[in-house]
Structure formats: structure tokens, C-alpha cells
Amino acid sequence: MSLRKIGLKVATIAAVSGLMGTSIAAAEEYRIAVPLQGLTAEFMQLWVKGANEHPAVVDGTVNLTVFDGRLDALTQSNHFDTIITQQFDAVIFIPVDAEAGTEPARRALEAGIPVFGSNTLVSDPSVYQAYVGSNDVVAGEVVAQTIIDQLGERKNVVVLEGPIGHSAQIQRAEGIASVVAASEGVNVLAQRTANWSRAEALALMENWLTAYPGQIDGVIAQNDEMALGAIEALRARGVSTDDVPVAGIDGIGDALVAVQEGTMSTTLQDATGQAQGAIDLALRHLVGEGYEPRSPLWETYSDSLSWNGGTESTYMIPWVPVTLDNVEELLARRN
Amino acid sequence: MSQAAADTQTKKQILNWINKNGILLALILLFVALSVLNQYFLTATNLTNVARQVSINGILAVGMTFVILTAGIDLSIGSIAAICGAVAASLVVGDTAMSPMVAILAGVGVGATLGLINGGLVGYAFLPPFVVTLGMLSVARGTTLIFTDGMPISRLSDEFKFLGQGDVYGLPIPTLIFMAVVIVSWFALKHTVYGRWVYAVGGNPRSARTSGVPVRGVITSVYVIMGALCGLAGLILTARTTAALPQAGVAYELDAIAAVVIGGTSLAGGVGGIGATVIGVLIIGLINNGLDLMGVSSYYQQIIKGSIIVLAVLLDRSRRSHH
């Protein structure tokens, strides 16, 4: 075989293995399967990007295989069949649905594959070896407080909700409700779902602006997409977000840009932290005692989050308020 | 006959065979390729997985074959499956759970009823099936959301969950149900008067009418069959995911239609059959399973699946033009 041919072959293998997400085996390689909700969501993209930047993934100690659940509980259940057949060393799981996610996770557990939760809980958390997420009740409290702090004399707000029944919707609603109840004079004019969608929130906000002309003083959105939809509706009506403040949750790219422009507020859900935290916990389980976490996240949040030997059942990654001071840096990290 | 002429004759025969059985050949090639490419593919567990995974789309695709044979289409199957699953689930919750048999009857009954509405509007009110079932897609989904209050229905009885998770002699229950559906449907289409009517209605409705086929009734009936099978699929789906989810079954019509089309059943009606659809179902199932095993990104999976659908129709077209 000529040298050129060999070169070509190597290039092909590299291309093929790149396409298939597998890498040439290192000495001690742990295969971790990642069945996640759906790669169409920006947050999931950031999660995967963060996971791939974990030092153990970069140096080949861990080989990650992502399974895209396509927002369908059955697809995800099928993925667990595949994962069990392929005998992965561990699973990092982001369920499509909290109810439907429990059974597949239990199947993996029964097949001897430990399951680590990230981002979303299942209805029976005992199937998780450990869970790394962010507390959505806290996020609800933060988004409500942000808006209430900006209100003047009159305090009429509207609330845009996620898909009813989604665990994040339920918990964020709980946080919002508790802050609203504790704040004097705040009146919720309307509260409805826009299914996390910018387009749906835009139409809903347009209708609210018609139904409550000149009465809305603030917009609390359970995620950034919906906040951005509401901003578009306000803009179309010629209403400034200086007069009617809008706040969301998650810290997606467009929202960071909007914060930079001064049109909204948001708090960042640290996708990288959730991803890398779960990898560290899985490695602690696979490598055993003495494993030191390698993600920089434990350093970053050292004052509010502690590794504690990596044997706790739950780790909550703190929310990061996005401000003009840190938005530049957060945006730079995206690209 | 000279040697050369005989050679051309054999060549022609081989080409003919390939033309006729192209899709089956594609399935076999896919199977062999996956066996070579992935060490886990050809294992008993994985093949059982595939058998279980294809059954829901398989049941829906069999129903869709009836509909498409009459030159119709049903876009509402995912939504109907969702409402059937939810109704069935509501009967087998917690301490007041009824027998799974009641849930099965209720689920299939709701599906058949909604199918009857679809079929009546197509068969007797002469509305285009595309429009009727598009409307039903939305109505049935809305009804599901109202019925479930937007929340999953869970804590289902173990007997009910057995429908989706259990097995008999190593064969998963969903697969057994799918096989039963295939055998009954194949027999109905191939060996009964009703089957001939279905083909006649799709092939040429005018001459079917003049030769005494109850065209309207046949058209209505295929949507009822489709609806009942949606009920069955919805039950299995609910039992497998251990909860009736308000968003279950979204876009399932696409895979069912794709399986029928890949198999070679003509969207113009009158041509095709259950065997062809089963091959289509297996091809889609193997693609999903194989690409998952190899860790191919789902972005590529969609491109591959879409390309295969178009290729299948292209192959079908060239096959027809030969005859």
C-alpha cells in the first residue's frame, strides 16, 4: 500500500469515527451513554458541548455516546434497550418525561449499569446513583423577584409558563407563586402556557396587550424563549421594556444578547456545570475512592457547592444571574 | 439457442428479480451490513429489542396500508393513539385499577369510534382525507390534553404494563400483537372478498361501483380499522412508557406513512400490500436501531431516513415503468 493510500485510509477512519462519535480506544476507557431529551434545544446543545470539554473526555479516559431522545419518551425507552445491549459502563440520563423515565432507568440499574441524573429528575429518584441539577424552585423565585424589584407603584404582572406538567414548569411556577404571595400589592393579571416557545409567547403576549391595554407592568417568563417572544410583542406595540420589564430563565444565547442590549434580565442555568458534574460523579463511581473531580466547576462554585467525596445523592449547581459585568464573558464562552 | 443468447436471458432474469424484489434485497443488505459493522447488532438481545421497537410503528403502518390502498391518508393516528392510551390508562390507575381487558376494549373502542368519524366524513361526506384527518389530528390532541389535564397518567397496574413490557417464551408481547395484526390483515386483504374490494376501490372507484362494490362503506371501514389499530398501538405505547403522556405519539404518522411507502404501496391506491409494509417497517426499525448502535448523530439519521424514502419511491417508479 502506498503511503498516500495509507494516509487516505487514516483520514477516512478519522472522518468516520468523528461521524460516529467514537474515538480510538485509550488504555483505561470508560464508555458512558448519554440519553438526553432532544438535541433541538439550545440548552441540550450547550450541555453536550460542556460534556465534551470535560478533561476526562478530552484526554480519552471517557468515551461519550449521545442518544437523542427527540422529545419522545418511547424513543428514549428504546435507547435504553440499546444501551443495555451494548453494556455501557454508566449512563448519564436527562429524561424526556419524569414519569416515563423511571422505568428505563430501573432497567439499566437491574442490568448492572449505574444511572446518573443530570438536569431533570425522574419521579422515583432512587433509580439515580446521584443527581446533578439546578433547583428550579430557586429559579422561579429569582425571576419573579427580578421583575418585582423593578415595578413602580402599580404592580400588575403576567406569567408565561412552560408546558403544563413539565417538572421545570411545576417547580418554577412554585417559586414564582411563593415570591408573588410574599410581595405586597403584586397582582397576576394572567398566567398561561406558551410551551417554552418564542412564537407561542409572541402571539399570547399580543393578545394580552389587547386584553389588558396599558395595564401590564411586568412580564415573568419561565424560560428565555418565551421572554424573547414577549419582548417582540411589546416592541411591535411600541412599548419599551424600560416601562414593562421582562425576565426569563436559562441564559440562552439570544437572551444574553438581549441582556447586553438592556432589554431583559435572565439567570443562567449552567449546562456545562450540570454536564461535567455528572461526568465527575460517574467517574467517582467507576474509578472508586480517591478519584479527584477534574472539572473546573468545583473550583468555580467552591463557596456554594462542595464535592464531599463525590458520594452525596444530590448536587445542585447554583444559578448565575446574568449582568452587564459577566455577559461579555458568558457570550465569549459560547463561541 | 446460442451461449450468448442464453447468457443475456439469465442476465435479464436476474435483473427482473432484482427489480421485483428490490426492497427485500435492500432489507437483506441492510441486515448484513449492520451485522458486519456492529458487534452488538447480531445478538439475541438486540434483535429482540428491534422486534419490540418496530411493533408500534408496525401496527400503525398495517392500518395505514388499508387506508393508502384506497388512495386515502390518515394524519391523525398519533393523536388518536394518544387519546386511546390516555383513556385506557385512566381505567387501570392505582388501587381502583380494572382488568387490562376493560382497558383494551375501551382503548380500541375509542380508536374505532374516532376512525368511524374520519371514515364517515371521507366516505359519505366526500371530504378529502387529508383535510378530515388533519382536523382530527388537532381535535384528538386537544381532547387528550383536556382528558389528561396536561399531566401524565401514571401508577398503572402491573397487569396493564405487562402489555408493553412482558414477554412469552422470550417473545415480547408488543411483537406478538404486531404479528397477529399482520397475519389477520394479510389474510383479510389477500383471501377475502373484503380485501378485493379494498384494492378495487383504490384501483378504480368508478368501475368498482359499477361492479357492485359498496365503495362508501369500504372507504369508511378502512378508517375504522386504522382507528382500532391506533387504539392498540396507543395501549402498547402507554404500557411501554409506563404512563399516558399528553404529548405521546406526536409525528408518528410520518414513520407509518414512510414504512408503507418504502414497502412500495402506491399513494395513488390499489397497489401494494401488508408484506411490503412489513419490509418497510423493518427497514425503518433497522435504520433507527443500527444508527443508534453505531452512535450516529440523530441529525444524520433524519437525512438517511428521508433519503431512503425518496430512493424507495424512485426504485418503485423505475420498476413500474419496466412493465
Side-chain angles (χ1 to χ4, degrees), chain A residues 19-20 31 39 45 65 67-68 70 72-74 77-79 81-82 85-86 97 99-100 103 164-165, chain B residues 40 43 46 49 52-53 56 150-151 154 165 237 240-242 245 252 292-295 298-301:
Chain A
L19 176 75
M20 298 188 176
R31 293 161 61 240
L39 283 171
Q45 296 284 0
T65 307
F67 292 84
D68 179 356
R70 296 187 278 267
D72 181 56
L74 180 67
S77 173
N78 290 343
H79 283 155
D81 292 339
T82 306
T85 311
Q86 292 187 292
D97 183 270
E99 281 304 335
E103 195 270 334
I164 306 301
Chain B
Y40 299 103
T43 57
N46 186 55
N49 287 344
R52 194 187 308 109
Q53 290 168 7
I56 289 174
M151 304 279 277
S154 54
Q165 298 169 359
L237 176 61
R240 277 214 67 199
T241 54
T242 68
L245 308 177
Y252 280 20
D292 278 346
L293 280 180
M294 294 192 290
S298 65
Y299 297 174
Y300 290 96
Q301 293 195 17

Side-chain angles (χ1 to χ4, degrees), chain A:
Chain A
M1 202 184 276
S2 76
L3 210 60
R4 193 172 150 266
K5 261 192 185 154
I6 294 172
L8 210 72
K9 202 162 183 194
V10 169
T12 317
I13 291 169
V16 167
S17 62
L19 176 75
M20 298 188 176
T22 54
S23 58
I24 316 294
E28 185 75 69
E29 187 181 282
Y30 296 105
R31 293 161 61 240
I32 299 182
V34 187
L36 45 70
Q37 284 171 359
L39 283 171
T40 44
E42 179 178 341
F43 182 83
M44 288 296 136
Q45 296 284 0
L46 292 171
W47 193 101
V48 172
K49 188 163 180 264
N52 282 324
E53 283 164 4
H54 189 284
V57 178
V58 173
D59 75 9
T61 313
V62 167
N63 182 349
L64 288 180
T65 307
V66 172
F67 292 84
D68 179 356
R70 296 187 278 267
L71 299 175
D72 181 56
L74 180 67
T75 301
Q76 198 157 50
S77 173
N78 290 343
H79 283 155
F80 269 86
D81 292 339
T82 306
I83 288 162
I84 294 165
T85 311
Q86 292 187 292
Q87 291 163 328
F88 278 86
D89 296 314
V91 174
I92 295 175
F93 185 25
I94 308 178
V96 169
D97 183 270
E99 281 304 335
T102 301
E103 195 270 334
R106 183 170 294 132
R107 258 189 283 145
L109 206 59
E110 279 164 7
I113 305 173
V115 179
F116 297 83
S118 183
N119 180 261
T120 308
L121 275 166
V122 285
S123 58
D124 177 8
S126 73
V127 296
Y128 282 161
Q129 188 77 33
Y131 170 73
V132 185
S134 299
N135 190 336
D136 278 307
V137 178
V138 172
E141 291 167 2
V142 170
V143 71
Q145 199 59 58
T146 309
I147 290 301
I148 288 168
D149 287 347
Q150 296 178 59
L151 295 176
E153 293 266 299
R154 213 179 53 181
K155 302 171 192 297
N156 293 331
V157 296
V158 290
V159 180
L160 290 160
E161 295 199 281
I164 306 301
H166 233 249
S167 63
Q169 176 267 329
I170 295 169
Q171 291 172 18
R172 288 175 187 186
E174 188 188 325
I176 292 169
S178 76
V179 168
V180 167
S183 315
E184 214 169 306
V186 176
N187 172 35
V188 177
L189 281 178
Q191 175 159 6
R192 262 188 57 191
T193 182
N195 293 313
W196 302 138
S197 150
R198 197 181 301 199
E200 275 188 50
L202 169 58
L204 185 56
M205 190 64 201
E206 282 169 354
N207 295 341
W208 278 345
L209 287 167
T210 311
Y212 308 102
Q215 296 173 44
I216 299 172
D217 303 315
V219 181
I220 298 171
Q222 286 186 358
N223 83 343
D224 284 341
E225 285 287 350
M226 297 190 296
L228 291 161
I231 289 171
E232 286 308 315
L234 288 168
R235 192 172 286 158
R237 278 297 166 101
V239 180
S240 161
T241 49
D242 293 339
D243 301 328
V244 179
V246 179
I249 303 174
D250 283 345
I252 65 168
D254 285 357
L256 296 185
V257 174
V259 169
Q260 213 170 20
E261 289 166 350
T263 53
M264 74 175 275
S265 335
T266 186
T267 46
L268 177 83
Q269 170 159 220
D270 187 350
T272 304
Q274 291 182 4
Q276 300 197 351
I279 293 174
D280 270 336
L281 289 172
L283 279 173
R284 163 65 183 79
H285 181 86
L286 295 171
V287 175
E289 222 169 312
Y291 172 79
E292 286 301 321
R294 295 175 62 188
S295 165
L297 93 106
W298 307 101
E299 193 69 36
T300 315
Y301 297 120
S302 57
D303 45 349
S304 51
L305 179 73
S306 139
W307 169 251
N308 259 350
T311 50
E312 309 248 324
S313 63
T314 305
Y315 290 83
M316 287 297 183
I317 308 284
W319 294 86
V320 184
V322 180
T323 61
L324 283 174
D325 295 330
N326 63 7
V327 69
E328 225 40 73
E329 189 201 325
L330 290 171
L331 270 170
R333 223 199 278 171
R334 295 289 156 97
N335 302 317

Side-chain angles (χ1 to χ4, degrees), chain B residues 107-150:
Chain B
V108 173
V110 168
T113 310
L114 294 177
L116 182 65
I117 296 173
N118 275 340
L121 289 170
V122 176
Y124 288 90
F126 304 111
L127 295 176
F130 190 95
V131 176
V132 169
T133 60
L134 191 61
M136 182 60 81
L137 178 151
S138 187
V139 170
R141 180 65 62 192
T143 313
T144 313
L145 286 168
I146 293 167
F147 186 81
T148 59
D149 212 8

Side-chain angles (χ1 to χ4, degrees), chain B:
Chain B
M1 206 192 293
S2 74
Q3 184 61 37
D7 272 358
T8 359
Q9 188 68 22
T10 346
K11 230 187 226 165
K12 223 176 182 176
Q13 270 169 356
I14 292 172
L15 278 176
N16 245 334
W17 188 89
I18 290 175
N19 259 328
K20 259 197 196 139
N21 299 286
I23 283 297
L24 182 61
L25 208 64
L27 175 64
I28 295 167
L29 277 179
L30 188 63
F31 193 89
V32 172
L34 289 174
S35 308
V36 173
L37 282 171
N38 193 281
Q39 51 173 327
Y40 299 103
F41 177 75
L42 208 58
T43 57
T45 12
N46 186 55
L47 295 180
T48 314
N49 287 344
V50 174
R52 194 187 308 109
Q53 290 168 7
V54 299
S55 49
I56 289 174
N57 185 40
I59 291 168
L60 293 172
V62 165
M64 191 64 81
T65 309
F66 279 86
V67 174
I68 289 181
L69 278 176
T70 66
I73 195 91
D74 193 339
L75 304 176
S76 62
I77 59 172
S79 303
I80 294 186
I83 183 73
C84 295
V87 169
S90 70
L91 299 173
V92 291
V93 174
D95 308 324
T96 57
M98 291 186 234
S99 137
M101 215 52 218
V102 179
I104 292 171
L105 288 176
V108 173
V110 168
T113 310
L114 294 177
L116 182 65
I117 296 173
N118 275 340
L121 289 170
V122 176
Y124 288 90
F126 304 111
L127 295 176
F130 190 95
V131 176
V132 169
T133 60
L134 191 61
M136 182 60 81
L137 178 151
S138 187
V139 170
R141 180 65 62 192
T143 313
T144 313
L145 286 168
I146 293 167
F147 186 81
T148 59
D149 212 8
M151 304 279 277
I153 303 179
S154 54
R155 291 203 310 127
L156 310 179
S157 72
D158 287 343
E159 291 88 357
F160 181 77
K161 285 194 266 189
F162 187 75
L163 264 183
Q165 298 169 359
D167 53 53
V168 177
Y169 297 121
L171 273 177
I173 303 279
T175 312
L176 290 173
I177 298 177
F178 172 44
M179 279 159 61
V181 166
V182 165
I183 291 167
V184 172
S185 307
W186 174 83
F187 184 82
L189 279 179
K190 275 278 163 187
H191 297 289
T192 66
V193 179
Y194 174 74
R196 277 199 294 282
W197 286 351
V198 170
Y199 279 95
V201 166
N204 189 339
R206 198 164 297 168
S207 65
R209 195 167 295 127
T210 50
S211 54
V213 176
V215 175
R216 293 174 176 191
V218 170
I219 287 179
T220 307
S221 72
V222 295
Y223 291 91
V224 176
I225 293 171
M226 178 80 255
L229 290 176
C230 286
L232 213 49
L235 287 163
I236 299 172
L237 176 61
T238 305
R240 277 214 67 199
T241 54
T242 68
L245 308 177
Q247 291 299 335
V250 169
Y252 280 20
E253 63 279 0
L254 297 181
D255 266 3
I257 295 170
V260 176
V261 169
I262 287 175
T265 296
S266 161
L267 282 173
V271 180
I274 299 295
T277 295
V278 171
I279 295 175
V281 168
L282 290 176
I283 287 180
I284 290 187
L286 286 185
I287 291 172
N288 285 339
N289 174 257
L291 297 185
D292 278 346
L293 280 180
M294 294 192 290
V296 178
S297 140
S298 65
Y299 297 174
Y300 290 96
Q301 293 195 17
Q302 300 198 23
I303 294 175
I304 293 169
K305 213 155 76 181
S307 311
I308 287 178
I309 294 172
V310 177
L311 268 175
V313 178
L314 204 66
L315 193 91
D316 193 47
R317 171 81 51 88
S318 73
R319 183 176 74 192
R320 272 178 225 301
S321 65
H322 277 298
H323 296 294

